[in-house]
Amino acid sequence: MDRQDNVAARILALDDDAFRPRLRAWLAETYAGFVRGWPGGACPRDLDFRRAWEDTLCGHGWSGLGWPSEYGGHGLPLSRQAVFHEEHARCGAPLGVNLIGHGILAPTLLHFGTDAQKRRFLPGILSNRDVWCQGYSEPGAGSDLASVRTRAEPVAGGYRLNGHKIWTSFADRAQWCFVLARTDANVPKHKGLSFLLVDMRSTGVRVEPIRQITGDAEFCEVFFEDVFVPQDLLLGAENQGWKVAMAAASFERGTYFIPRLVRFAQELQAVRRLALRPDAYGHTPASSADVRHRWARLAADSHVLALKSRRALEGAMRGDPPGPEGSSTKIHWSEAHQRLLELSLQMLGEGACLEGAGHGAGDGKGAGKAGAVGNAGIDAGIDVRGTAGVEADREAGISPACNACIEADSHADIDADAATLTHAYLWSRAETILAGTSEIQRNIIAEQMLGLPKA
């Protein structure tokens, strides 16, 4: 599994003290160069931009971070993987398009796959040649995933697949999909499921993108109509798909929230800039006690979420099994993020409805430049004293020179913040639904953490 330029191996050879600053410098320089070479500048919501940046990372060796070396990986401990994910988010680069392939399917293959399956699929994920999507949710089976109705009937040489999946991220760009399908309808619902690897180019696969409120179409509906799936594309044992799916869900738990919490801190700084900008009458939103109180609460949320993320990472490093604490973090993050973005729109006012804010969100060009909401870390020294927070950023090692929009008096940067925050607000409406609704998460907390009886 050759890499065009395995920069990652050279940086990873450094000791812990040198690793983070060297990685940070390389990401900042490389991403800035990538942006300069992209027609029209940074488009971090454009899927072509995201895929090309992801290809660049993989080409330089930044994939397979935790994989065994025999499959082309680096065998990194979770602690170093976490540093990479934090620094990658810090530099302002977007998440990739093939997150499901790298973060979920690859470790699942390593754990459950046959040697032939590993040899067939891992190279395509490592190089980012093959994009994967996840075929779980259905119109009648979202949070209650075990109720899926997609059927996989045994036939000569494999299975005949029929069903309908929904909210499938990037299905219109994926070459492969892992599908949870029912192979036995005569046993309890958790026990009759199998985990199939489906070629999206197969006869009978139809993909319909779903246009979102943001104007984007990251999600899709996928229809399977008499799709033949060869027997050797069954991952794990037949009727053991629930076990495989639950294991797959656990593989990202140590690092999943890291880029999201970095982004939360960056958006918090963008909201601060909005709060400190005077309007046409000289009034600043930060003069309102209500705004200061809400902002301070969000700063506390950012800090507590960072601590929860660290606890989850340490638990994963010890090998602790996943627990209901993840539900607490998911609720806290999604609901705090919605509150943060509601505050931002309150301060933007009618500016949130301008062409540059709303429509830039839809076409992927509204951000205008790299890191449009700043360059903060997970816990970036946020300061409720207003402009003093810039000094806190400097003390945390976050240089304003790294990103022009860190300065509160830059109107161009405020405009970029407006576009980014408006898009984030619209997208955030899904965050209390995806990956388990807040209602389902509260049931998990009530039953498994508080010991309350089932309803």
Side-chain angles (χ1 to χ4, degrees):
M1 300 180 187
D2 296 331
R3 314 270 189 141
Q4 66 184 34
D5 177 14
N6 206 330
V7 171
R10 298 198 294 274
I11 295 178
L12 290 168
L14 300 172
D15 62 28
D16 288 343
D17 290 338
F19 171 57
R20 184 188 287 270
R22 181 68 187 93
L23 172 62
R24 181 180 298 182
W26 183 86
L27 283 168
E29 178 183 358
T30 306
Y31 185 60
F34 178 83
V35 168
R36 286 194 300 271
W38 190 262
C43 301
R45 291 189 295 273
D46 180 81
L47 297 185
D48 291 332
F49 180 92
R50 291 170 62 179
R51 172 68 188 274
W53 170 245
E54 192 174 42
D55 288 344
T56 299
L57 285 177
C58 293
H60 287 301
W62 296 106
S63 57
L65 298 183
W67 300 11
S69 58
E70 64 186 290
Y71 297 108
H74 296 290
L76 293 186
L78 270 173
S79 56
R80 280 213 167 184
Q81 294 179 52
V83 170
F84 173 81
H85 290 297
E86 182 180 350
E87 294 301 328
H88 179 258
R90 185 194 296 270
C91 82
L95 293 172
V97 175
N98 201 18
L99 292 173
I100 287 171
H102 291 285
I104 299 178
L105 194 275
T108 306
L109 272 171
L110 287 166
H111 190 80
F112 292 98
T114 64
D115 288 341
Q117 288 172 335
K118 293 173 187 176
R119 288 193 303 270
R120 178 174 180 180
F121 293 115
L122 289 177
I125 298 173
L126 194 72
S127 66
N128 214 43
R129 181 185 69 239
D130 294 335
V131 174
W132 285 77
C133 61
Q134 176 179 275
Y136 281 5
S137 294
E138 298 180 4
S143 297
D144 185 14
L145 184 59
S147 295
V148 296
R149 296 182 179 180
T150 295
R151 305 182 314 281
E153 300 176 64
V155 296
Y159 300 89
R160 181 184 295 111
L161 186 66
N162 283 279
H164 176 194
K165 299 294 183 177
I166 198 168
W167 308 122
T168 307
S169 300
F170 311 124
D172 56 337
R173 291 173 173 257
Q175 287 76 43
W176 290 88
C177 181
F178 53 92
V179 175
L180 198 61
R182 191 161 302 285
T183 43
D184 189 342
N186 298 315
V187 296
K189 59 184 183 179
H190 292 84
K191 296 183 178 181
L193 300 171
S194 294
F195 199 99
L196 300 174
L197 310 178
V198 180
D199 188 336
M200 294 293 283
R201 296 151 293 192
S202 301
T203 301
V205 176
R206 179 164 56 93
V207 177
E208 298 287 346
I210 301 171
R211 186 67 58 183
Q212 298 149 233
I213 192 174
T214 59
D216 302 327
E218 296 182 6
F219 299 110
C220 301
E221 290 184 272
V222 183
F223 300 87
F224 301 103
E225 299 169 357
D226 290 333
V227 177
F228 176 70
V229 182
Q231 183 69 40
D232 62 0
L233 296 185
L234 171 69
L235 185 61
E238 185 174 283
N239 295 329
Q240 292 297 308
W242 186 255
K243 174 183 177 182
V244 178
M246 292 302 98
S250 73
F251 287 126
E252 273 194 314
R253 71 186 180 99
T255 59
Y256 176 83
F257 278 106
I258 289 174
R260 291 157 180 83
L261 299 185
V262 172
R263 197 67 174 170
F264 189 104
Q266 292 171 335
E267 290 166 343
L268 194 56
Q269 296 295 345
V271 171
R272 183 193 61 177
R273 289 193 291 276
L274 291 174
L276 294 172
R277 182 177 68 166
D279 62 19
Y281 303 98
H283 172 267
T284 59
S287 64
S288 162
D290 177 65
V291 169
R292 293 197 305 272
H293 173 79
R294 291 164 67 186
W295 195 92
R297 179 184 175 189
L298 289 163
D301 287 324
S302 181
H303 180 69
V304 172
L305 283 165
L307 295 177
K308 287 183 174 181
S309 178
R310 189 172 306 152
R311 180 178 63 186
L313 178 64
E314 290 171 352
M317 290 169 61
R318 289 192 302 267
D320 296 348
E325 298 83 3
S327 294
S328 169
T329 304
K330 200 275 180 177
I331 290 175
H332 189 172
W333 165 74
S334 60
E335 297 185 358
H337 195 218
Q338 289 182 348
R339 285 190 282 105
L340 167 63
L341 295 167
E342 286 164 2
L343 178 60
S344 75
L345 255 69
Q346 176 184 323
M347 288 189 288
L348 284 170
E350 64 272 17
C353 301
L354 297 178
E355 182 79 11
H359 289 264
D363 62 17
K365 296 178 176 56
K369 62 185 175 183
V373 290
N375 201 19
I378 285 181
D379 190 12
I382 297 164
D383 196 323
V384 293
R385 296 169 297 168
T387 53
V390 174
E391 294 303 320
D393 289 343
R394 290 193 178 99
E395 293 171 9
I398 302 162
S399 171
C402 293
N403 193 308
C405 68
I406 200 72
E407 298 295 342
D409 61 354
S410 170
H411 288 284
D413 295 330
I414 293 291
D415 291 341
D417 287 346
T420 302
L421 291 168
T422 300
H423 179 275
Y425 168 81
L426 294 172
W427 213 104
S428 74
R429 312 324 296 168
E431 289 171 349
T432 49
I433 301 171
L434 56 80
T437 66
S438 290
E439 292 78 10
I440 292 293
Q441 305 292 356
R442 284 186 165 85
N443 280 345
I444 292 172
I445 292 169
E447 294 168 10
Q448 298 185 31
M449 295 184 72
L450 302 180
L452 299 178
K454 293 185 177 183

